[in-house]
Structures are given as C-alpha cells and as structure tokens.
C-alpha cells in the first residue's frame, strides 16, 4: 500500500508506477486539460492518465513540457482505441499518441477495450513496442477474467496493469484476486462512480469521523485495497482535495463495511457488451 502521493507500486516487470494520479477522461483539450494537469503536478501528482479516445493528448503533452519537470519524475499512461486495434494499426496509433504527447517514450500503454477477434493481435504489436523500448510497461483496460485468460494463453508478456471500473458499488473481488494471482496490478477508473456515491450515508458518516469528504473516504478505501487510483477532476481545489488521503487510515472493520456496499453496479459499460 502506498503511503504518500508520490509513492510507487512496483509492476510485474520491475517498473515503478505512482499509486495515485489524475485521470483526464472527458476533459477538453487545450486550456482545460492543461489547467488540470498543471494543478495536479503543482500538488505533487506524478501520474497522468489519458487515451487517444480522450482527444486531449496534445494538451497533456504541452502541460508536461511547460511544467519543466525532469522526464523521469512523471509517468504517462495512454491507450489504443477500439478502431485503432489490430497489429499494424496499433503500431500506427502508438506513434500518433507519442507524437501528440511530444514524448520519446510512453510509460504505460493500454488496450482500451477487449475488441473481440482483435485484442490478441493488438497485444502482439504492443509486445514489440515494449521490446523496442518505446514503452516501459504494457497492460489492458476493461478486461474480464476470461479476456485475460485468453490473452495470456496467446502471448509472451503478462499485462502489467488491468484498469477497470472500480468503486464501492463494483468491488470486482474475483477479478482482483485473479489479477493478484497472476501479478497483474489492478487500477481503478471512475473510483467515485461519477459522483453517484457522494451522498451515501455510511460514507458521509465516515467522512465526519475523519473530517474528510465521502470522496476522500472512497479514495482511501481504494488505496488500502492496493488499487492504483486515478480520479478525474478539472478543478484545482478538487484535485488537491482528492490527494489529501494520506493522513488517516480506515479500520479493518470500516474497510469490510465499505466492501459490503457492493452491488455489481456499473456507471459505465460492461466489457462483455460494449459497443
């Protein structure tokens, strides 16, 4: 479990990845995303998670350049989108993302969704990109256990990351256990269920106990469950607030109580039925 904002998790290939960062899904390119990234970096964040589908890689790259931090101090994730998948198309998509971000290499490259009949070929291209040194780690997003099993049966490299929807209403305990068994680090997108958990009475009561918000309680729960977490926000005050979760700890009983809120309820699409 990480103990401060810049603390890292060691992935299965030895790469160190920050355990907490900023997600920029649906954050408009240009000034909006640059303001968010600047706020994150100024408050100590070192992990920024984008994707080709988000259409804000250019703004993320510009913000990082303007921040003037040593390259090795920050960690960038981006992803290959569904219509870019396949062996040759993935290589082209990677080079496009690299150019938009203005980087020489990417820290983590993910398959965004498990496109049936394509993700194995996509992975083969990603393995070659990894072997070339253009990306430090490769992984997947929105993969169920059966997707992971099929991928691992037809590839050389085990994914370093599986980034999935994860929050108290979707605890994904079976998938989490499977990932742990195979050395795959779980990472949470939509950790706050797009704001739908902010008025939950139990989370609010815990917030009062620790003088924290319900959001901070959830994010702390994620961290104590050893899940890398990337809450999205465009507001500098909220970006700072989201990271203020390292000065308290939830008890084992409180962790179990939050776990029990699970409903297997998604705010996003099920990977078995996505379009």
């Amino acid at each position: 479990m990480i103990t401060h904002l810049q603390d890292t998790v060691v992935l299965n290939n030895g790469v160190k990845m920050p355990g907490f960062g900023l997600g920029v899904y649906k954050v408009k390119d240009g000034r909006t995303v640059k303001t968010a990234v600047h706020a994150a970096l100024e408050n100590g964040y070192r992990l920024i998670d984008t994707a080709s589908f988000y259409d804000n890689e250019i703004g993320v790259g510009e913000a990082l350049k303007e921040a003037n931090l040593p390259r090795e101090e920050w960690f960038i994730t981006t992803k290959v989108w569904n219509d870019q998948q396949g062996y040759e198309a993935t290589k082209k998509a990677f080079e496009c993302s690299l150019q938009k971000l203005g980087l020489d290499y990417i820290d983590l490259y993910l398959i965004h969704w498990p496109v049936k009949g394509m993700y194995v070929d996509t992975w083969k291209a990603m393995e070659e990109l990894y072997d070339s040194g253009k990306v430090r780690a490769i992984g997947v997003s929105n993969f169920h256990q059966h997707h992971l099993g099929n991928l691992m049966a037809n590839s050389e490299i085990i994914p370093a990351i599986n980034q999935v929807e994860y929050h108290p209403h979707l605890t994904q305990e079976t998938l989490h256990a499977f990932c742990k068994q195979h050395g795959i680090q779980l990472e949470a997108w939509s950790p706050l269920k797009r704001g739908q958990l902010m008025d939950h009475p139990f989370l609010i009561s815990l917030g009062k106990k620790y003088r924290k918000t319900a959001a901070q309680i959830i994010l702390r729960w994620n961290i104590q469950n050893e899940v890398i977490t990337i809450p999205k926000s465009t507001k500098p005050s909220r970006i700072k607030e989201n990271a203020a979760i390292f000065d308290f700890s939830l008890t084992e009983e409180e962790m179990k109580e939050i776990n029990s809120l699970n409903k297997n309820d998604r705010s996003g699409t099920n990977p078995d039925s996505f379009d």
Side-chain angles (χ1 to χ4, degrees):
M1 182 180 72
I2 63 171
T3 58
H4 58 84
L5 182 54
Q6 295 179 6
D7 207 354
T8 57
V9 174
V10 180
L11 304 181
N12 59 18
N13 67 344
V15 166
K16 293 180 179 180
M17 177 177 178
F20 194 89
L22 176 73
V24 294
Y25 176 51
K26 289 189 175 180
V27 179
K28 188 176 180 180
D29 201 16
R31 181 180 297 179
T32 304
V33 77
K34 287 170 71 173
T35 297
V37 172
H38 280 306
L41 295 175
E42 287 165 7
N43 282 287
Y45 287 67
R46 292 297 180 263
L47 165 62
I48 308 295
D49 180 281
T50 184
S52 62
F53 179 69
Y54 301 171
D55 197 25
N56 56 22
E57 288 173 313
I58 291 174
V60 168
E62 288 176 352
L64 292 167
K65 193 172 184 179
E66 291 167 3
N68 202 29
L69 286 168
R71 173 64 180 92
E72 63 272 13
E73 283 195 18
W74 38 266
F75 192 104
I76 295 299
T77 301
T78 192
K79 312 174 190 77
V80 55
W81 185 243
N82 304 340
D83 63 7
Q84 299 171 318
Q85 288 196 39
Y87 180 77
E88 292 296 341
T90 296
K91 288 188 171 183
K92 290 179 182 177
F94 178 85
E95 292 299 333
C96 185
S97 287
L98 200 64
Q99 184 177 16
K100 286 183 176 180
L101 288 162
L103 302 177
D104 296 323
Y105 66 90
I106 287 171
D107 296 284
L108 176 65
Y109 199 44
L110 304 180
I111 298 179
H112 210 143
W113 290 87
V115 177
K116 189 175 181 180
M118 297 189 76
Y119 65 80
V120 172
D121 285 339
T122 298
W123 189 252
K124 291 186 186 305
M126 292 174 67
E127 287 181 321
E128 289 190 15
L129 290 166
Y130 174 75
D131 288 338
S132 75
K134 290 184 176 181
V135 58
R136 297 176 65 216
I138 53 176
V140 298
S141 181
N142 301 303
F143 273 48
H144 283 322
Q145 184 173 327
H146 67 88
H147 297 125
L148 289 168
N150 182 52
L151 185 66
M152 290 189 292
N154 292 281
S155 61
E156 299 294 325
I157 299 174
I158 294 174
I161 289 282
N162 186 18
Q163 185 186 115
V164 299
E165 182 176 353
Y166 180 90
H167 46 68
H169 279 173
L170 186 67
T171 57
Q172 306 242 44
E173 290 183 7
T174 301
L175 177 64
H176 196 182
F178 179 86
C179 287
K180 282 185 176 181
Q181 179 186 349
H182 293 279
I184 302 168
Q185 173 64 49
L186 205 68
E187 182 177 10
W189 65 259
S190 194
L192 305 176
K193 202 184 179 186
R194 299 178 181 173
Q196 296 176 38
L197 289 163
M198 298 305 95
D199 58 354
H200 193 284
F202 180 65
L203 298 174
I204 290 172
S205 69
L206 280 182
K208 289 179 179 177
K209 173 183 174 181
Y210 292 106
R211 295 184 179 179
K212 297 291 180 180
T213 65
Q216 288 170 316
I217 296 297
I218 295 168
L219 295 172
R220 180 67 199 183
W221 169 81
N222 278 26
I223 294 303
Q224 287 186 218
N225 275 330
E226 300 181 338
V227 176
I228 293 175
T229 305
I230 46 168
K232 168 235 171 174
S233 182
T234 59
K235 298 177 180 178
S237 60
R238 185 66 53 80
I239 289 169
K240 181 178 181 180
E241 180 183 278
N242 284 342
I245 57 171
F246 297 100
D247 55 354
F248 76 105
S249 294
L250 297 167
T251 67
E252 186 176 342
E253 200 58 42
E254 289 164 348
M255 290 291 292
K256 288 179 180 177
E257 190 75 23
I258 297 174
N259 289 342
S260 74
L261 300 179
N262 180 55
K263 296 181 177 181
N264 293 322
D265 185 43
R266 297 175 182 272
S267 65
T269 308
N270 189 313
D272 279 334
S273 58
F274 74 97
D275 183 0

